[in-house]
């Protein structure tokens, strides 16, 4: 077996203690969209018992949502993807995109501009660049054609119809993850294996996101909610979809079976950490480690936990970006909320919190999310990594919150009250935080 550290290749991989049972996971089946053999037929429709309840006709609710948005979404119909999506771009655009990648580690990196310059292929080219920059393709002896195909399929399986949860969001999270991996404490401690896992998790963390939240899937009795027993439904689906693509492209087929299974398990551990319903659990554990000063990044389990926290930060870092970028993300995520609310209104379902466009504004949604979810997390991250980047993120967060407060005077007073100790609110914000964050993440 291979073991990867920062500089050398040794005879064995080193996994966290929980990974010694990977042999028992041989029967694990990934969840893949479009992988079933029925050409052009979508058997994964939204199931509802509403018809028997006499409220919503089943035919209407089945049309309401499906993970396969197009007739040609089946892999069998689509065929192999193009391996060079930039072939239709002129030299000027390619040159500008390459120039931007030279500054991919800066916090004000404009992912929207980069996506335009790459003709909508930001996730593919940014990730491929980072894998090369870290030397991971050579170090792990990855087939470049398989890497490119994997990234193209990942980008393809994000829904561009989603205003927020799409491939550009995944690229943005991946770029943020890169910034965190470069922080001194992490750069000095993480192995190349850790870095590979962190980047893969960022790339796939919202794979095949439907554009609606978990409560929507549960109350409409979607098959995924039943499959994962109403627990981390979306996160489990993202993980299983990622595993499906890893196996479909055989990206790690050259590794021993137990090693590739270990990668899949740890990838799942990172993606599942983005479940906002477990926000307080992770935050409390992180805070305890910092209070007791017992984080030892020489231990694989502690490094893995820090990667989980880094991914959580990257996933909800939009309020910490410069205003011109943060504002665009806020508008996109609220548009997605309100679109879900419109569907719920149309089909006479209970409207989810923050999804009613008549009762909420972009400003009110963002102020609540910043106060109860973002500020506590990034305050603790700044305790862990007290660097210029951390202070920059907190600075943008404060300025952006003030900007939204100025647009929504009714919430400005309440938000100001919570600014004194953002990292440690006096009340456990579980109910409000989870309702806010479950939709943005």
């Amino acid at each position: 077996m291979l073991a990867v550290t920062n500089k050398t290749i040794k005879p064995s991989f080193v996994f966290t203690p929980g990974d010694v049972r990977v042999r028992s996971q041989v029967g694990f089946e990934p969840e893949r969209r479009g992988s079933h053999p029925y050409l052009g037929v979508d058997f994964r429709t939204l199931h509802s018992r509403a018809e028997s309840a006499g409220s919503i006709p089943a035919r209407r609710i089945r049309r309401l949502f499906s993970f396969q948005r197009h007739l040609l979404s089946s892999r069998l119909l689509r065929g192999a993807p193009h391996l060079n999506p930039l072939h239709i771009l002129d030299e000027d655009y390619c040159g500008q995109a390459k120039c931007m990648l030279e500054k991919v580690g800066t916090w004000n990196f404009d992912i929207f501009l980069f996506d335009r310059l790459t003709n909508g292929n930001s996730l593919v080219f940014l990730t491929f660049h980072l894998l090369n920059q870290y030397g991971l393709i050579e170090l792990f002896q990855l087939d470049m054609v398989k890497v490119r195909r994997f990234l193209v399929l990942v980008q393809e399986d994000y829904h561009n119809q989603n205003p927020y949860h799409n491939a550009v969001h995944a690229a943005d999270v991946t770029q943020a993850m890169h910034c965190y991996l470069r922080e001194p404490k992490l750069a000095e401690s993480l192995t190349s294996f850790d870095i590979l896992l962190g980047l893969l998790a960022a790339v796939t963390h919202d794979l095949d996101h439907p554009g609606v939240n978990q409560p929507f899937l549960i109350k409409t009795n979607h098959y995924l909610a039943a499959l994962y027993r109403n627990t981390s439904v979306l996160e489990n689906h993202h993980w299983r979809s990622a595993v499906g693509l890893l196996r479909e492209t055989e990206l790690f087929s050259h590794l021993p079976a137990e090693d590739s299974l270990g990668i899949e398990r740890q990838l799942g551990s990172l993606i599942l950490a983005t479940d906002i319903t477990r926000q307080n659990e992770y935050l409390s554990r992180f805070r305890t480690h910092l209070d007791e000063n017992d984080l030892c990044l020489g231990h694989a389990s502690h490094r893995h936990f820090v990667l989980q926290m880094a991914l959580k930060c990257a996933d909800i870092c939009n309020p910490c970006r410069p205003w011109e970028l943060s504002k665009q993300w806020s508008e996109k995520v609220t548009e997605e909320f309100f679109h879900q609310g419109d569907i719920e209104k149309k089909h006479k379902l209970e409207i989810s919190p923050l999804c009613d466009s008549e009762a909420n504004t972009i400003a009110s949604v963002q102020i609540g999310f910043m106060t109860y979810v973002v500020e506590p997390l990034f305050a603790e991250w700044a305790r862990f990594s007290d660097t210029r980047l951390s202070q920059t993120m907190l600075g943008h967060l404060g300025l952006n919150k003030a900007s939204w407060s100025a647009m929504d005077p009714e919430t400005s007073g309440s938000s100001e009250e919570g600014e004194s100790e953002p990292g440690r609110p006096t009340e456990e914000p579980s109910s409000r935080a989870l309702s806010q964050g479950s939709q943005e993440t």
Side-chain angles (χ1 to χ4, degrees):
M1 294 188 295
L2 293 172
V4 181
T5 63
N6 279 327
K7 299 180 180 179
T8 60
I9 300 179
K10 296 181 181 179
S12 61
F13 258 132
V14 178
F15 293 112
T16 58
D19 291 314
V20 298
R21 296 188 298 274
V22 295
R23 298 177 189 272
S24 65
Q25 299 295 317
V26 175
F28 162 72
E29 289 296 329
E31 175 67 32
R32 278 288 298 116
R33 175 169 69 94
S35 60
H36 54 75
Y38 302 99
L39 288 178
V41 180
D42 182 7
F43 289 96
R44 298 183 173 189
T45 52
L46 184 147
H47 299 292
S48 174
R49 293 191 289 270
E51 186 174 29
S52 60
S55 57
I56 308 173
R59 286 180 301 174
R60 291 176 62 196
I61 199 68
R62 287 194 187 102
R63 290 198 303 267
L64 179 60
F65 169 76
S66 170
F67 284 101
Q68 292 174 249
R69 302 297 182 92
H70 308 287
L71 177 65
L72 300 181
S73 63
S74 170
R75 190 76 72 234
L76 294 175
L77 288 180
R78 283 178 296 189
H82 295 294
L83 294 182
N84 186 13
L86 273 185
H87 67 285
I88 61 174
L89 294 182
D90 59 37
E91 293 183 2
D92 289 340
Y93 272 73
C94 288
Q96 292 179 60
K98 290 178 181 178
C99 286
M100 285 195 69
L101 285 175
E102 294 177 1
K103 299 182 179 180
V104 70
T106 59
W107 189 244
N108 62 349
F109 187 85
D110 189 340
I111 196 64
F112 299 111
L113 174 59
F114 184 72
D115 193 64
R116 292 193 295 271
L117 293 176
T118 56
N119 196 34
N121 292 287
S122 56
L123 183 59
V124 172
F125 286 91
L126 182 139
T127 308
F128 196 84
H129 172 79
L130 292 178
L131 292 175
N132 267 318
Q133 181 172 311
Y134 283 107
L136 300 175
I137 294 178
E138 180 180 1
L139 189 60
F140 285 91
Q141 302 174 3
L142 301 178
D143 186 315
M144 293 184 67
V145 174
K146 290 181 179 180
V147 172
R148 176 75 68 161
R149 184 167 183 262
F150 170 74
L151 294 176
V152 169
L153 292 180
V154 167
Q155 181 174 270
E156 185 182 70
D157 275 2
Y158 276 96
H159 298 184
N160 289 331
Q161 302 94 328
N162 294 343
Y164 183 82
H165 289 103
N166 51 42
V168 183
H169 166 65
D172 185 64
V173 171
T174 303
Q175 191 272 335
M177 190 67 165
H178 168 57
C179 292
Y180 300 151
L181 294 176
R182 286 158 45 93
E183 290 287 79
K185 280 191 175 181
L186 279 72
E188 296 169 359
S189 306
L190 296 182
T191 67
S192 295
F193 177 68
D194 297 327
I195 295 172
L196 178 65
L197 274 176
L199 292 178
L200 287 179
V203 169
T204 60
H205 80 285
D206 273 335
L207 189 60
D208 199 29
H209 196 293
V212 293
N213 60 12
Q214 175 172 293
F216 182 91
L217 299 180
I218 293 174
K219 69 186 175 186
T220 53
N221 302 304
H222 190 268
Y223 82 97
L224 285 177
L227 179 63
Y228 298 117
R229 301 182 180 181
N230 300 342
T231 303
S232 299
V233 175
L234 288 172
E235 291 76 22
N236 270 299
H237 179 60
H238 304 326
W239 168 35
R240 303 302 174 97
S241 297
V243 170
L245 286 185
L246 287 173
R247 296 186 180 185
E248 181 175 334
T249 58
E250 299 182 333
L251 186 60
F252 297 120
S253 61
H254 60 292
L255 299 179
E258 63 181 80
D259 291 351
S260 59
L261 286 172
I263 291 174
E264 292 173 2
R265 281 175 56 86
Q266 292 210 51
L267 181 65
S269 176
L270 292 176
I271 294 176
L272 290 173
T274 63
D275 183 357
I276 201 67
T277 63
R278 301 180 65 189
Q279 179 81 355
N280 289 332
E281 170 192 337
Y282 280 94
L283 187 58
S284 297
R285 182 180 167 192
F286 193 35
R287 184 174 291 148
T288 299
H289 276 305
L290 296 177
D291 289 343
E292 298 180 359
N293 194 29
D294 62 355
L295 270 177
C296 178
L297 297 186
H299 296 160
S301 60
H302 284 202
R303 291 199 307 274
H304 188 77
F305 175 66
V306 169
L307 278 179
Q308 289 176 318
M309 299 308 299
L311 182 60
K312 290 175 68 63
C313 288
D315 190 25
I316 61 172
C317 72
N318 301 149
C320 301
R321 296 282 194 182
W323 171 251
E324 59 274 12
L325 299 176
S326 179
K327 183 174 182 290
Q328 291 183 68
W329 285 120
S330 298
E331 292 169 347
K332 290 177 181 296
V333 72
T334 309
E335 179 185 350
E336 193 166 294
F337 293 172
F338 291 168
H339 181 258
Q340 176 179 324
D342 292 341
I343 294 175
E344 292 166 334
K345 288 179 184 177
K346 180 179 179 180
H347 295 278
K348 302 187 185 326
L349 300 171
E350 180 183 357
I351 301 177
S352 300
L354 309 182
C355 292
D356 189 348
S357 58
E358 298 178 0
N360 298 280
T361 64
I362 299 178
S364 64
V365 170
Q366 288 304 302
I367 291 170
F369 185 67
M370 290 179 184
T371 301
Y372 294 101
V373 180
V374 182
E375 283 181 344
L377 177 61
F378 279 87
E380 297 305 319
W381 181 261
R383 288 179 63 201
F384 165 71
S385 179
D386 187 10
T387 64
R388 174 185 239 175
L389 174 58
S390 293
Q391 296 308 314
T392 297
M393 291 190 296
L394 290 177
H396 285 313
L397 178 61
L399 292 173
N400 294 339
K401 185 177 177 183
S403 297
W404 287 120
S405 296
M407 299 180 190
D408 194 53
E410 292 185 2
T411 60
S412 61
S414 60
S415 65
E416 289 171 1
E417 291 176 4
E419 289 178 356
S420 57
E421 272 193 293
R424 296 178 181 266
T426 55
E427 296 182 7
E428 189 71 18
S430 56
S431 60
R432 184 168 180 181
L434 298 183
S435 66
Q436 305 262 4
S438 63
Q439 300 175 69
E440 180 144 357
T441 59

